[in-house]
Amino acid sequence: MIAVTTDGRDIDLEVAKLSGEGALQKVRPVDTHMQRVAREWGKLPTPDTSDPTYYGRPVLKEPVWHWAIPLYFYVGGAAGASLVMGSAAQLDRSGELENLMRRCHWAGIIGSALSGAILIYDLGKPSRFHHMLRVFRPTSPMNMGAWILSSVSPSAIVAAMFAQRRGILGAFGEISGVASGLSGLALSTYTGVLIANSAIPVWQESRRVLPILFGASAMASAGSIFDMFFEDRAARRVTYTFGTVGRAAELAASIALERQAGRVPHVARPLHTGASGFLWKTATVMTAGSLLLSVLPGRSRKRRVAAGVMGTLGSIMMRYGIHQAGVASARDPRATFRQQRAGHGAAELD
Amino acid sequence: MPAKGFFTDTTLCIGCKACEVACKQWNQLPDDGFFFTGMSYDNTVALGASTWRHVAFIERPVPLQTQDAGAFSWLFSSDVCKHCARAGCLESCPTGAIVRTEFESVYVQPDVCNGCGYCVVNCPFGVIDRRSDDNRAWKCTLCYDRLREDMQPACAKACPTESIKFGDLDHLRAEARARVEDLHEKGLREAYLYGEDEHSQPGTGGLNAFFLLVDKPEVYNLPPDPVVPTKKAKDAWTSMGVAAAGMALAAVGAVLWGKER
């Protein structure tokens, strides 16, 4: 009988003894390169325990929206602000602003139709948009947005059909005009609430400014479109004033947003670095440029078109910049950790 | 129906990933591809549309009283959807697809979800995600189908060390507090509960799947002070009111005073 030697594990160590031709070979010591590698491997990873992350992996999921959503923010904003302008033009009883009113209504109709198309494209099929209209949920800004967008087109269409008629139909058209202006106000600003109501640090941190920035940018977008495409003596100064106020407000809100987000410096980082930082900064320069062109004395057609182009680019790039900043913010676990450690998580609600 | 939930005691986890496997099997979730991350033994990386349990492996250059490895300790933690008392995904869902069940768990109705992706940015824990084929949102259901048949969730059933405990929340909380006390007595002073009730995590109103941890939440990739975004929405809605009023004023002003004279 063979004696079984054991080291505590219930196995026969004799079986593990190497024998045979292969077992007799002399093994070369590992070369110096491998020794160096082995030394490196022997070291324990020493992460900074005062500021830990989980292998640098994100805490949050990044926004899953692609290019269509920032484009919707721009188109919806421009459509909404146009309707607001069209609604205000009803105050003028001289009839000189009728062209402006009609154009505003049409901008609203086309813009909201395009917005719906973009959203349905993003969702994949029309029934998916309809799912949002099954319920009315004030806790969900996106649900509110679905209702707002759905109220824009009908009111704008009725306004476009009847606003310039006389009698009861005209009154009906005017009421619809006002309604389209109100839904336009909501359409061009709610998108700010939509992204502010999220766990993404840079969006959540700037929630008090985002709706104002988006609203101001919508005004600038509408003003820029009229700057570029329409030459209407009577309406020119109306759209110019509206657009210029929008550009100034957009610039001011951009600065305010950087400061709000910058209350926790790490949270504002995507606004300064990377693709989002480039988009955001270029957008600010464009908006500032268009504002400068519109306030300098003298209003040649060429200069108005240039201001319009710059204003449009500024508004579009701003929305893509904010979107990309959200993506970068979600990817960075320290943005979440530092925001909440700085007392800007649930603690600031007390 | 009493509220049901998980108490995940990470000090008992041995990193076997039986919970991950049991979850995938019961819920018939596909694999996520096979690749080597180099992140200790964690090749699952994160929770997602096809991964509803995820075991985190943390290698720390820090000693732990209950482990005998010198200036080194290994932490395992099986992460899962927290089924928050105030759930960001549920409150932000524009279709009402995400509902609170009779077990107080948070459940996504797959036939109602429209794939908008809004819940994804509203989860303060980065749990819920869209599946990449038809974009609908998927996450842990707390094995709703099993609960209806008086069975416990697959992960808890499979856990060999009872690191994952399933049961009535009241019961679990009492058990968890006793366990923390017990660990403190044994010298593991670092042990604490993460999100066991509204008091410990006011931002979410408490988690129906809470944890016992022995290091900062960040170490486990958990946010230190999460908040359901809806709680801060008032600021944004107020700002929208200001924006709308300003825009209306600007438009009226532009028409009244801006017209070419």
Side-chain angles (χ1 to χ4, degrees):
Chain A
M1 209 179 104
I2 306 162
V4 176
T5 46
T6 175
D7 61 352
R9 298 175 292 172
D10 195 16
I11 53 171
D12 182 357
L13 295 182
E14 285 299 319
V15 179
K17 278 224 171 109
L18 299 180
S19 61
E21 228 178 329
L24 298 174
Q25 64 178 309
K26 274 214 171 66
V27 179
R28 217 178 17 242
V30 287
D31 60 33
T32 48
H33 171 72
M34 277 312 292
Q35 278 173 359
R36 225 171 28 241
V37 171
R39 265 202 306 278
E40 284 301 311
W41 286 4
K43 284 184 201 158
L44 279 177
T46 46
D48 182 2
T49 48
S50 65
D51 188 20
T53 63
Y54 185 69
Y55 302 98
R57 300 294 310 171
V59 195
L60 303 174
K61 293 275 179 288
E62 59 189 75
V64 286
W65 302 318
H66 54 57
W67 58 268
I69 297 300
L71 184 67
Y72 158 67
F73 292 167
Y74 167 77
V75 173
S82 300
L83 287 172
V84 174
M85 206 154 52
S87 191
Q90 284 177 219
L91 290 170
D92 179 74
R93 291 287 161 193
S94 66
E96 287 169 350
L97 295 183
E98 280 199 351
N99 258 343
L100 172 70
M101 216 192 305
R102 210 186 54 245
R103 283 175 179 149
C104 284
H105 289 153
W106 276 106
I109 293 168
I110 295 168
S112 56
L114 204 55
S115 298
I118 292 171
L119 288 186
I120 287 168
Y121 165 75
D122 179 64
L123 290 174
K125 49 187 172 187
S127 64
R128 289 189 161 185
F129 187 84
H130 162 262
H131 282 194
M132 293 197 279
L133 304 177
R134 294 165 66 245
V135 285
F136 186 80
R137 306 194 77 203
T139 62
S140 170
M142 187 180 279
N143 179 266
M144 293 292 97
W147 285 107
I148 290 166
L149 182 58
S150 306
S151 70
V152 168
S153 295
S155 57
I157 289 171
V158 174
M161 283 167 71
F162 301 124
Q164 270 122 354
R165 300 274 192 96
R166 283 167 207 286
I168 289 182
L169 278 183
F172 184 47
E174 289 213 344
I175 291 168
S176 297
V178 173
S180 75
L182 289 175
S183 18
L185 283 175
L187 181 64
S188 48
T189 52
Y190 97 86
T191 45
V193 182
L194 179 79
I195 63 167
N197 185 79
S198 74
I200 310 297
V202 68
W203 292 350
Q204 192 186 88
E205 200 62 14
S206 46
R207 65 191 177 279
R208 292 188 181 88
V209 185
L210 272 171
I212 295 173
L213 174 63
F214 277 23
S217 173
M219 289 169 69
S221 311
S224 295
I225 289 169
F226 279 86
D227 271 348
M228 286 187 293
F229 297 116
F230 302 112
E231 193 59 34
D232 176 346
R233 276 195 60 79
R236 200 166 61 191
R237 275 191 54 183
V238 175
T239 59
Y240 160 79
T241 310
F242 188 71
T244 305
V245 170
R247 284 167 191 161
E250 185 177 1
L251 197 60
S254 297
I255 296 163
L257 186 136
E258 271 189 39
R259 295 182 59 150
Q260 277 279 307
R263 288 179 303 162
V264 183
H266 201 84
V267 169
R269 255 181 70 172
L271 298 175
H272 305 298
T273 55
S276 54
F278 172 76
L279 283 166
W280 173 257
K281 277 185 255 176
T282 314
T284 312
V285 170
M286 287 286 171
T287 305
S290 74
L291 177 65
L292 197 68
L293 284 178
S294 55
V295 293
L296 285 177
R299 308 248 151 76
S300 70
R301 174 88 190 119
K302 264 188 197 153
R303 187 193 286 173
R304 290 188 57 213
V305 171
V309 170
M310 287 181 85
T312 303
L313 283 174
S315 288
I316 293 177
M317 290 176 92
M318 183 276 284
R319 287 156 196 280
Y320 278 92
I322 288 285
H323 176 245
Q324 283 304 311
V327 173
S329 193
R331 280 183 188 157
D332 179 3
R334 288 203 169 92
T336 298
F337 295 158
R338 291 195 185 161
Q339 182 191 26
Q340 296 180 7
R341 286 288 181 194
H344 290 228
E348 71 178 346
L349 293 170
D350 299 331
Chain B
M1 191 73 73
K4 303 273 186 191
F6 289 126
F7 163 42
T8 308
D9 182 347
T10 65
T11 57
L12 295 177
C13 182
I14 54 169
C16 69
K17 303 190 196 178
C19 51
E20 287 189 16
V21 175
C23 175
K24 290 241 180 207
Q25 281 193 328
W26 179 262
N27 295 298
Q28 304 194 3
L29 298 170
D31 69 69
D32 311 293
F34 299 94
F35 60 90
F36 184 67
T37 61
M39 291 161 36
S40 190
Y41 280 74
D42 181 0
N43 296 316
T44 312
V45 185
L47 294 170
S50 58
T51 306
W52 300 350
R53 270 278 177 191
H54 159 234
V55 182
F57 290 76
I58 299 131
E59 297 176 14
R60 305 185 308 166
V62 179
L64 191 69
Q65 206 260 347
T66 47
Q67 288 182 18
D68 189 19
F72 175 81
S73 51
W74 219 2
L75 308 179
F76 314 116
S77 166
S78 180
D79 197 13
V80 68
C81 170
K82 282 67 180 180
H83 298 277
C84 316
R86 292 261 328 245
C89 60
L90 188 152
E91 294 184 12
S92 67
C93 177
T95 62
I98 306 184
V99 294
R100 177 101 29 210
T101 69
E102 64 269 39
F103 307 106
E104 297 294 317
S105 60
V106 178
Y107 179 72
V108 189
Q109 303 174 82
D111 54 335
V112 185
C113 174
N114 74 343
C116 71
Y118 198 35
C119 51
V120 176
V121 292
N122 266 280
C123 175
F125 300 98
V127 170
I128 197 166
D129 202 4
R130 291 204 311 198
R131 48 191 285 171
S132 51
D133 50 358
D134 63 12
N135 282 347
R136 284 178 300 160
W138 290 77
K139 70 165 192 72
C140 164
T141 66
L142 202 75
C143 278
Y144 182 71
D145 49 350
R146 290 174 65 94
L147 298 200
R148 297 274 295 184
E149 301 295 326
D150 274 335
M151 293 191 283
Q152 57 176 326
C155 55
K157 178 85 179 168
C159 180
T161 63
E162 287 192 355
S163 166
I164 301 172
K165 292 185 182 68
F166 172 80
D168 293 351
L169 264 179
D170 291 337
H171 194 80
L172 287 179
R173 286 193 192 109
E175 198 177 328
R177 284 177 189 132
R179 170 72 178 158
V180 170
E181 258 176 46
D182 186 36
L183 286 173
H184 283 188
E185 269 169 31
K186 284 181 179 153
L188 196 65
R189 302 292 311 171
E190 300 94 326
Y192 71 100
L193 297 179
Y194 177 84
E196 84 276 22
D197 58 15
E198 191 179 4
H199 178 70
S200 91
Q201 200 173 89
T204 58
L207 308 175
N208 291 3
F210 60 97
F211 300 82
L212 188 152
L213 309 176
V214 295
D215 203 340
K216 291 179 188 166
E218 288 96 326
V219 168
Y220 301 86
N221 218 13
L222 292 168
D225 186 24
V227 58
V228 51
T230 329
K231 281 200 171 191
K232 294 185 174 181
K234 214 178 93 190
D235 295 336
W237 287 115
T238 309
S239 164
M240 175 181 160
V242 172
M247 194 190 296
L249 268 179
V252 170
V255 167
L256 293 185
W257 295 288
K259 214 176 71 159
E260 198 92 351
R261 272 175 262 265

